[in-house]
Amino acid sequence: MNLRSLHQSFWTPTQRSMRSWALAAVVVNAGITVTGAAVRLTGSGLGCPTWPRCTPDSFIPVAHPEISPINTAIEFGNRMLTFLVLAVAVACFLAALRLTPRRPALVRLAVLQPLGVLTQGLWGGLVVRSALNPVTVSVHFLISIGMIAAAFALYARSGEADNPPQRLVHRDIRTLGFVLVGAVLTLLVAGVVVTGTGPHSGDEAASRFAFDIETVARIHADLVWVAVGLTIALAFALHVTNAPGLARRAALTLFLVELAQGVIGYVQYFLAVPAFLVGLHVLGSTLVWIATLRVVFLMRDRGALVGAGPVFAHAESR
């Protein structure tokens, strides 16, 4: 794609390009969530010890006697990725605003992207100024989870019409899907508590939650089994009621992602949480969240939208 076509994709958008930008928002928000964890896992959380400057006297990295240049480069690089997320967020908003005919639902969802990036940036400053207090670090991750949800909602809505939603499954199965979303969100919150209690603080000066790591890890593991059990129940219910094939396969995909995530989680626990596996676990968390949202969106239909592409086609035969 050249610069001209890139510009046209959000300045004179089509239904397809609108959807492409929404998908890009999902990808970059998930990506910066993982790279943010990498900053912490490499001990680079205070590689730039001030905010908005990198050092007290400079917005860009300069030699600092107390900080490794590698740590500074990692932290500064992650800050620069914020501008990529912001660029995609602005493109999403402009595409939704200039789409013809304009769809107010998309505009409302799209405006959450630049507002979310602004919120994340300001909160990131608080994370640095609090010397990586685990509460601020945890909220920083949860804001990213909210950003991913908003981006995925934009992606889903940009591929369907604006008709009133129609259930494709029994009401109780739809309710089970919402319960699963709540369970996975609770699991993610428990995960950040475990992270805030564990050894990877991001810097030697960072504080930790005053919880017993064994206790919080076991609570987290129990919540994993709750989420997996609900996923199995949902997949079984979709199968026996002959729900649309796309929804059935989405539930199976979620189960497989959860299975892989569980394996990583148990292995990292028994290996004393090596940084690399913790990073994979964070990636798995974002994939579990996205897969969960996908299942729920595939259990209802707002009608086909011409020109948006076949990715979210609810009209698939059973």
Side-chain angles (χ1 to χ4, degrees):
M1 178 182 290
N2 57 39
L3 290 178
R4 179 180 176 82
S5 59
L6 180 65
H7 177 265
Q8 290 176 337
S9 68
F10 61 82
W11 198 248
T12 56
T14 63
Q15 301 288 0
R16 187 179 293 273
S17 67
M18 173 72 248
R19 195 141 197 268
S20 296
W21 279 114
L23 179 59
V26 175
V27 172
V28 296
N29 277 291
I32 201 167
T33 302
V34 176
T35 60
V39 171
R40 176 174 52 81
L41 294 170
T42 56
S44 305
L46 294 178
C48 286
T50 63
W51 189 92
R53 291 182 173 88
C54 181
T55 63
D57 302 318
S58 175
F59 282 97
I60 61 175
V62 296
H64 194 287
E66 298 179 359
I67 302 174
S68 163
I70 295 177
N71 293 144
T72 299
I74 292 172
E75 163 63 2
F76 185 74
N78 192 65
R79 289 190 184 189
M80 292 299 99
L81 284 178
T82 301
F83 291 100
L84 172 62
V85 181
L86 178 61
V88 173
V90 171
C92 281
F93 177 65
L94 289 175
L97 198 64
R98 294 184 60 82
L99 187 66
T100 304
R102 180 180 294 177
R103 301 174 59 192
L106 297 189
V107 175
R108 288 192 295 269
L109 287 170
V111 76
L112 294 176
Q113 292 304 303
L115 289 178
V117 175
L118 177 62
T119 301
Q120 274 287 56
L122 293 175
W123 193 267
L126 180 60
V127 170
V128 173
R129 288 177 176 269
S130 69
L132 308 183
N133 181 282
V135 173
T136 62
V137 174
S138 298
V139 172
H140 200 44
F141 175 82
L142 294 176
I143 293 173
S144 292
I145 291 300
M147 288 284 291
I148 292 171
F152 191 88
L154 178 63
Y155 171 68
R157 290 292 286 111
S158 63
E160 58 190 11
D162 292 322
N163 302 325
Q166 300 294 322
R167 285 187 291 106
L168 297 175
V169 299
H170 189 276
R171 178 184 59 191
D172 293 341
I173 297 177
R174 181 93 166 120
T175 300
L176 179 59
F178 290 134
V179 172
L180 176 59
V181 171
V184 171
L185 185 57
T186 303
L187 177 61
L188 293 174
V189 173
V192 298
V193 173
V194 174
T195 298
T197 308
H200 300 291
S201 63
D203 190 270
E204 293 181 356
S207 59
R208 303 274 77 199
F209 286 128
F211 301 126
D212 176 65
I213 186 63
E214 295 281 346
T215 300
V216 293
R218 286 172 181 166
I219 292 173
H220 180 62
D222 290 341
L223 290 172
V224 168
W225 286 111
V226 171
V228 171
L230 289 171
T231 301
I232 293 173
L234 179 61
F236 180 76
L238 291 171
H239 177 73
V240 298
T241 58
N242 197 29
L246 206 56
R248 297 199 305 268
R249 289 193 292 274
L252 177 59
T253 299
L254 171 60
F255 172 70
L256 294 176
V257 173
E258 288 174 338
L259 185 62
Q261 175 74 335
V263 170
I264 294 171
Y266 277 106
V267 171
Q268 73 169 8
Y269 177 78
F270 288 112
L271 293 181
V273 289
F276 175 72
L277 288 181
V278 175
L280 282 182
H281 202 55
V282 173
L283 173 61
S285 297
T286 63
L287 295 179
V288 167
W289 181 234
I290 292 170
T292 302
L293 296 173
R294 182 168 180 261
V295 172
V296 173
F297 274 100
L298 284 171
M299 290 194 293
R300 95 285 182 274
D301 185 23
R302 288 179 179 269
L305 183 65
V306 176
V311 182
F312 228 73
H314 292 297
E316 178 188 276
S317 64
R318 293 173 183 265

